[in-house]
Amino acid sequence: QVRLVESGGGLVRTGGSLRLSCAASGSFVSINTMGWYRQAPGNQRDLVATITSGGHTNYLESVKGRFTISRDNAKNTVYLQMNSLQPEDTATYYCNAEITTIMTPYDTDYWGKGTLVTVSS
């Protein structure tokens, strides 16, 4: 079965940096768009950044210039480099991927279990 596993979350001071990683494993035909979403307690889950298989990116306005999304297709891995972190960035960050499998021969969303990012002042 397809699984997404995140790593890299933790506690950091305001102005610091973290890099999140998400690796996909299992049997699949193709991995298309991959991305990161975040959710704070009591809030909805918001898109942070996405990247297509061809490298086209999309960002939440408030993270432009601070966060950079990238991917390594050979490793089936997507990254999120987060710089100049602010307390408002505190949330659980979830990895997302649109994946096609033999049993599900159309783009289907898969989610990781999330990794917590806490930014303290």
Side-chain angles (χ1 to χ4, degrees):
Q1 296 183 348
V2 177
R3 287 178 293 277
L4 301 178
V5 180
E6 304 104 329
S7 63
L11 175 64
V12 66
R13 298 287 296 273
T14 296
S17 298
L18 286 173
R19 188 180 74 162
L20 306 183
S21 299
C22 173
S25 63
S27 298
F28 40 79
V29 175
S30 64
I31 301 177
N32 301 303
T33 300
M34 304 183 78
W36 292 93
Y37 294 69
R38 69 186 183 187
Q39 186 170 22
N43 293 348
Q44 66 180 15
R45 186 173 298 186
D46 294 325
L47 181 150
V48 177
T50 60
I51 183 168
T52 68
S53 59
H56 185 265
T57 59
N58 183 41
Y59 293 94
L60 176 68
E61 185 67 27
S62 63
V63 308
K64 288 182 178 178
R66 299 190 298 122
F67 292 8
T68 302
I69 189 170
S70 61
R71 64 191 288 170
D72 185 336
N73 291 333
K75 296 181 178 180
N76 298 320
T77 299
V78 63
Y79 306 93
L80 185 68
Q81 178 67 46
M82 304 184 293
N83 299 325
S84 301
L85 283 163
Q86 304 297 315
E88 293 75 22
D89 296 315
T90 295
T92 298
Y93 284 69
Y94 296 90
C95 178
N96 170 266
E98 296 178 347
I99 298 176
T100 299
T101 69
I102 294 176
M103 294 299 297
T104 309
Y106 46 84
D107 282 352
T108 301
D109 279 341
Y110 289 83
W111 294 90
K113 293 184 178 180
T115 184
L116 179 63
V117 172
T118 302
V119 185
S120 63
S121 59

